[in-house]
């Protein structure tokens, strides 16, 4: 695997270098004064403003305006102790535009309805863009696509989601080509049901999706998923960190023959299939099973200037994608959210 170069950028202390970010933060300052005061009181300190997020230097910002989100799984510790309102207030301060759910309670401090959750997000200038739900379960009453499709879609509609998906791999029936074709048929069914309600169904990858079929080691399973799902019904949320981990793990077939691939190329070949991305960073570590050690966005070796600009420079795709920051287990989740926004807003296209 070719190690991705890390691009170093200097964050400015003035938001004047990024007029779009300044406009959004100014608007959110008006929306969230009361909520922000509550958050500060609960946290015992005022949150760091996101004014430092704008980057110096020439070139258009790599990050499109209005398209930075965060996967709330990264902030599950704060949601469970503080509740959604203080968390949303902090995210608004950091310059986030969107949120992606990982369950609609996440152990939240106090009960909350879907209507309240939707209103709370909107009151903080945050657009609920998607949600992760399980694919299947042995429990017939489980909250998954396979067991309770209508309920899953009812809830997504109640929240006004544009996307509803799963982070489960298509391994329900095994790792053979036919097993993945069978899972793809089910994904097409979920996609058709979501489309009928004005939403897009999506699947979020980990590294294992890039492994090879057990009955045909020349075939990459991810390619089966792409080929066997209807591109008008089934979409992908590429987790960029896990895709590069997959590159590290599966650039050779089981017999040792080369099978290199570049995650960005998948997107460039079919950009319409990737409305969502997870922006997650890692320090290259060949001694690690997965090839990387996860870290805060901007502290690792994944070149997001190259990746994001590669997608957004495609004609008609500047605003066609949504970029969700994530860390599975951040050391300090608010600090992770702040640093990730600051770094991504600082990136500039190369002149």
């Amino acid at each position: 695997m070719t190690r991705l170069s890390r691009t170093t950028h200097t964050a400015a202390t003035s938001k004047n270098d990024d007029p779009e970010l300044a406009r959004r933060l100014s608007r959110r300052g008006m929306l969230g004064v009361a909520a922000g005061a509550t958050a500060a009181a609960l946290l015992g300190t005022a949150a760091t403003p996101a004014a430092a997020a704008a980057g110096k230097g020439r070139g258009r910002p790599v990050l499109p305006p209005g398209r930075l989100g965060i996967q709330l799984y990264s902030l599950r510790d704060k949601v469970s102790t503080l509740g959604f309102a203080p968390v949303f207030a902090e995210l608004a301060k950091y310059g986030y535009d969107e949120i992606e759910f990982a369950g609609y309670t996440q152990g939240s401090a106090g009960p909350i309805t879907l209507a309240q959750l939707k209103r709370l997000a909107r009151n903080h200038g945050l657009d609920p863009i998607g949600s992760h739900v399980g694919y299947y379960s042995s429990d017939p009453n489980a909250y998954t696509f396979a067991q309770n499709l209508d309920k899953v879609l009812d809830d997504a509609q109640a929240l006004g989601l544009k996307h509803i998906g799963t982070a489960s791999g298509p391994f329900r029936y095994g790792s053979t080509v036919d097993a993945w074709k069978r899972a793809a048929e089910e994904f097409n069914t979920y996609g058709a049901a979501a489309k009928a309600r004005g939403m897009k169904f999506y699947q979020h990858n980990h590294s294992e999706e890039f492994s090879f079929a057990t009955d045909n080691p020349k075939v990459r399973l991810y390619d089966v998923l792409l080929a066997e799902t209807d591109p008008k019904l089934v979409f992908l949320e590429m987790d960029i960190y896990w895709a590069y981990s997959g590159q590290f793990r599966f650039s050779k077939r089981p017999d040792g023959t080369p099978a290199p691939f570049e995650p960005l190329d998948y997107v460039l070949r079919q950009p319409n299939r990737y409305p969502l991305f997870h922006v997650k960073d890692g320090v290259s570590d060949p001694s690690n099973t997965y090839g990387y050690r996860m870290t805060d966005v901007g502290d690792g070796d994944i070149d997001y200037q190259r990746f994001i600009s590669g997608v957004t420079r495609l004609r008609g795709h500047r605003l066609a994608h949504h970029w969700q920051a994530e860390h599975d287990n951040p050391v300090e989740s608010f600090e992770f959210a702040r640093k990730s926004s600051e770094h991504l807003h600082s990136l500039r296209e190369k002149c």
Side-chain angles (χ1 to χ4, degrees):
M1 179 188 70
T2 302
R3 174 171 173 162
L4 297 176
S5 62
R6 178 183 177 188
T7 305
T8 304
H9 298 268
T10 303
T13 57
S14 171
K15 63 189 176 188
N16 294 330
D17 290 324
D18 191 336
E20 173 61 27
L21 177 61
R23 181 190 67 76
R24 292 202 311 275
L25 294 177
S26 176
R27 174 176 176 271
R28 287 179 183 161
M30 298 175 66
L31 287 171
V33 169
T38 301
L42 287 168
L43 294 170
T45 180
T48 303
K56 289 182 178 179
R58 298 179 180 179
R60 181 176 64 170
V62 165
L63 190 70
R67 292 296 184 269
L68 178 62
I70 192 165
Q71 166 53 253
L72 291 174
Y73 181 76
S74 305
L75 296 152
R76 60 195 181 279
D77 62 322
K78 295 296 191 294
V79 173
S80 66
T81 55
L82 302 176
F84 281 105
V87 171
F88 288 173
E90 291 300 299
L91 295 178
K93 291 179 184 179
Y94 301 155
Y96 284 94
D97 309 291
E98 302 171 338
I99 49 174
E100 183 184 36
F101 291 103
Y104 307 130
T105 60
Q106 292 192 217
S108 174
I112 189 167
T113 67
L114 294 179
Q116 291 171 329
L117 191 55
K118 178 181 179 180
R119 184 166 58 251
L120 193 62
R122 296 293 169 86
N123 286 346
H124 288 89
L126 297 169
D127 185 18
I129 194 65
S131 180
H132 286 186
V133 177
Y135 168 21
Y136 66 93
S137 172
S138 59
D139 178 0
N141 298 312
Y143 189 79
T144 66
F145 282 96
Q147 276 71 33
N148 274 292
L149 177 60
D150 287 340
K151 174 60 175 172
V152 167
L153 297 181
D154 286 344
D155 290 349
Q157 271 194 303
L159 282 164
L161 301 183
K162 300 178 182 69
H163 309 82
I164 180 70
T166 184
S168 302
F171 292 96
R172 181 179 188 180
Y173 304 107
S175 299
T176 65
V177 171
D178 284 343
W180 274 52
K181 286 183 177 181
R182 188 176 175 187
E185 288 180 5
E186 294 184 341
F187 282 14
N188 285 332
T189 299
Y190 309 150
K195 183 178 181 180
R197 298 186 187 219
M199 294 178 286
K200 292 180 179 179
F201 170 80
Y202 65 95
Q203 193 268 342
H204 164 284
N205 65 274
H206 293 87
S207 61
E208 288 76 10
E209 282 87 336
F210 297 95
S211 63
F212 299 94
T214 53
D215 62 333
N216 188 345
K218 293 183 179 180
V219 175
R220 193 181 301 280
L221 289 172
Y222 194 73
D223 295 336
V224 177
L225 178 66
L226 285 169
E228 297 296 328
T229 50
D230 187 332
K232 295 181 180 179
L233 300 178
V234 176
F235 298 86
L236 291 308
E237 176 180 63
M238 180 175 281
D239 186 304
I240 300 168
Y241 170 91
W242 286 120
Y244 280 107
S245 172
Q247 182 193 62
F248 172 84
R249 298 179 66 192
F250 304 112
S251 282
K252 290 183 180 180
R253 297 183 181 88
D255 64 1
T257 59
F261 73 95
E262 165 54 51
L264 179 58
D265 288 344
Y266 274 106
V267 183
L268 299 183
R269 284 194 294 265
Q270 299 187 67
N272 291 325
R273 297 208 71 177
Y274 293 88
L276 305 171
F277 293 91
H278 271 195
V279 180
K280 187 184 296 180
D281 214 343
V283 176
S284 180
D285 181 2
S287 68
N288 186 298
T289 300
Y290 297 99
Y292 290 90
R293 288 178 286 104
M294 199 176 296
T295 189
D296 292 348
V297 178
D299 289 346
D301 295 314
I302 297 180
D303 189 346
Y304 277 109
Q305 190 279 339
R306 169 182 171 268
F307 195 102
I308 298 176
S309 63
V311 177
T312 58
R313 281 181 170 179
L314 295 173
R315 185 173 182 178
H317 284 272
R318 175 72 174 158
L319 297 175
H321 308 273
H322 305 265
W323 307 88
Q324 316 295 310
E326 188 187 31
H327 191 312
D328 290 357
N329 292 291
V331 173
E332 209 298 314
S333 55
F334 276 152
E335 179 66 2
F336 154 74
R338 184 195 64 77
K339 286 173 60 180
S340 298
S341 175
E342 181 175 315
H343 175 73
L344 292 169
H345 279 110
S346 77
L347 299 179
R348 292 294 183 269
E349 291 183 355
K350 295 179 180 179
C351 300

